[in-house]
Amino acid sequence: VAKTSLTSPPWPKVKLPDPVEEAKFHAEVVQKVNKMIATGQYGRLFAVVHFASKQWKITSEDLIMMDNVLEAECGDRIRLEKVLLVGADDFTLIGRPLLGKELVRVEATVIEKTESWPKINMRFRKRRNYQRKKIIVHPQTVLRINTIEIFPCLS
Amino acid sequence: RYVRQLQRLQLLFSPTAADSRGARQFVEEAALDFARRHPDVVLYISPRSIPAPLLLAEYLNGTVREELIASKTSEEIVQLATKLAGQSGLDIIRIRKPFHTDNPSIQGQWHPLTNKPSVLTVQGPRLQPK
C-alpha cells in the first residue's frame, strides 16, 4: 500500500521497554533511593501539602497564613497530613494523589491568631439613592512549618 | 519553642464611672482566670480617674495597641483580651502574600535553559546575518 501523509500519525512512534526489565530497573531505583534516605544524604526537603482547601509548597522554617480559625491554641504543634509531593535535591517522591503517612511527617506550630485588615464591602446603585457600606474583618491564623521528615519505607 | 508576642496588658479604668462597669466586673471575676491561662503575659490593673477605660497591649516589637472597653460586658472584654494575646505586634495592613520563605527554590530555580539540550549554551543562539 502506498504511504501517504496520513498513514502514520505526525508524532514519532514510541517504543515501550520490556516490562520485566522495567520492573528490575524500578526495583533498583527504589532500593537506591531507600539507601539514600536511610543514610541521610538529602539536604533541604520541600513538600506540597493540601491544607485549608489550598495547595502550598513548603520547606522547613517558613510561614503560612490561613483565612480561617483552627481549633488549636497558640503554640500547639500540628501534624499536616495530605502530603502530595516530597522532594529533595536529587530525588522526588510523587504521590498518587497522596503519600502514605509512614513515609512523610510534616510538623507545624500555630504562631498567631489575628484578624485581617478591615475590608470595605460597599454596594452602590447610581441615580437611585442606594448605598450600603459594611466593614468586614475575618480571622486569620499563622502557621510556621517546623520540620519535614521522610522515612525509608518505600516498596 | 513558642514565644508569645504579647508583653503586657494594662487595664486602665476608673472605679466610679458608669462605662467601666464591665471592666470592674472583669477585674473581680475573670482577671485571675485569664492570668492563669496565659502565664507569660503580665497583667497590670490600675484604677485611676481616666475619662474612658482603656486596655493597652504592648508587644515584643514595641507596638502599643489601645482598645476602648467602655460599656462592654466582661465576656466581651475576655474575648478581646484573648484576641490581643494571640496577635503579634505587626501592623494590620494588607499583606500581599500569604506565605513567606527564606529558601524558595531547592532544586534550583527554573530559567528558560533548564531541560533543554546543552547544545544551545555551547553554540549560542543563531544570529541573523546582516
Side-chain angles (χ1 to χ4, degrees):
Chain A
V1 183
K3 285 213 168 157
T4 55
S5 63
L6 290 178
T7 42
S8 62
W11 51 84
K13 192 172 177 185
V14 173
K15 266 192 181 171
L16 290 174
D18 227 3
V20 175
E21 286 181 14
E22 187 77 23
K24 266 195 240 168
F25 183 63
H26 283 333
E28 256 188 62
V29 167
V30 161
Q31 269 180 19
K32 255 196 195 172
V33 172
N34 251 338
K35 253 193 244 170
M36 276 181 76
I37 299 173
T39 49
Q41 281 171 18
Y42 46 84
R44 266 191 107 91
L45 282 175
F46 72 92
V48 172
V49 148
H50 185 282
F51 195 64
S53 78
K54 278 180 280 269
Q55 297 189 3
W56 312 82
K57 178 194 149 303
I58 48 180
T59 48
S60 50
E61 307 158 14
D62 74 349
L63 291 167
I64 276 181
M65 177 126 92
M66 327 255 141
D67 263 346
N68 58 1
V69 175
L70 290 172
E71 276 170 7
E73 294 297 325
C74 289
D76 283 354
R77 268 195 98 104
I78 289 181
R79 195 196 155 177
L80 296 174
E81 294 159 10
K82 286 200 207 167
V83 180
L84 298 135
L85 220 207
V86 163
D89 206 3
D90 294 321
F91 61 91
T92 36
L93 301 167
I94 309 176
R96 290 192 191 171
L98 296 176
L99 288 172
K101 288 188 206 171
E102 304 97 22
L103 259 187
V104 198
R105 195 184 167 88
V106 182
E107 299 233 317
T109 19
V110 180
I111 289 187
E112 207 187 311
K113 284 167 78 164
T114 52
E115 309 200 322
S116 73
W117 67 300
K119 293 192 186 175
I120 304 174
N121 185 12
M122 180 132 181
R123 285 186 265 198
F124 178 80
R125 279 195 203 137
K126 52 186 178 183
R127 299 185 293 268
R128 250 169 263 208
N129 195 17
Y130 173 72
Q131 41 180 354
R132 306 272 182 270
K133 187 166 172 179
K134 190 171 172 184
I135 297 185
I136 298 182
V137 174
H138 56 81
Q140 290 170 330
T141 26
V142 179
L143 294 178
R144 187 178 278 273
I145 312 288
N146 296 120
T147 48
I148 306 177
E149 296 155 2
I150 40 173
F151 310 106
C153 25
L154 295 166
S155 66
Chain B
R1 22 127 214 136
Y2 166 68
V3 177
R4 196 181 290 277
Q5 293 284 329
L6 185 64
Q7 256 182 327
R8 36 195 139 146
L9 268 176
Q10 275 178 332
L11 185 57
L12 308 163
F13 66 104
S14 77
T16 39
D19 45 1
S20 47
R21 179 166 60 113
R24 273 174 267 149
Q25 272 180 347
F26 169 74
V27 163
E28 279 163 36
E29 296 153 19
L32 276 179
D33 296 325
F34 181 78
R36 260 186 221 122
R37 263 178 292 149
H38 306 264
D40 37 355
V41 175
V42 192
L43 183 61
Y44 291 100
I45 299 176
S46 54
R48 44 175 109 145
S49 58
I50 245 178
L54 280 178
L55 187 59
L56 272 178
E58 277 175 65
Y59 293 96
L60 287 176
N61 34 354
T63 37
V64 179
R65 254 190 90 169
E66 291 171 0
E67 302 267 342
L68 276 185
I69 39 177
S71 35
K72 276 198 180 150
T73 54
S74 64
E75 286 109 9
E76 286 175 13
I77 298 179
V78 160
Q79 276 169 9
L80 237 194
T82 36
K83 185 195 93 165
L84 287 172
Q87 279 177 343
S88 83
L90 301 163
D91 293 328
I92 299 187
I93 47 169
R94 180 182 87 99
I95 26 154
R96 290 167 214 239
K97 300 188 235 183
F99 45 83
H100 172 79
T101 31
D102 286 324
N103 310 62
S105 90
I106 294 184
Q107 293 179 353
Q109 203 170 30
W110 184 89
H111 52 91
L113 286 171
T114 46
N115 300 334
K116 290 270 168 85
S118 59
V119 176
L120 295 167
T121 37
V122 170
Q123 255 191 10
R126 277 185 307 172
L127 298 166
Q128 298 292 332
K130 282 206 175 165

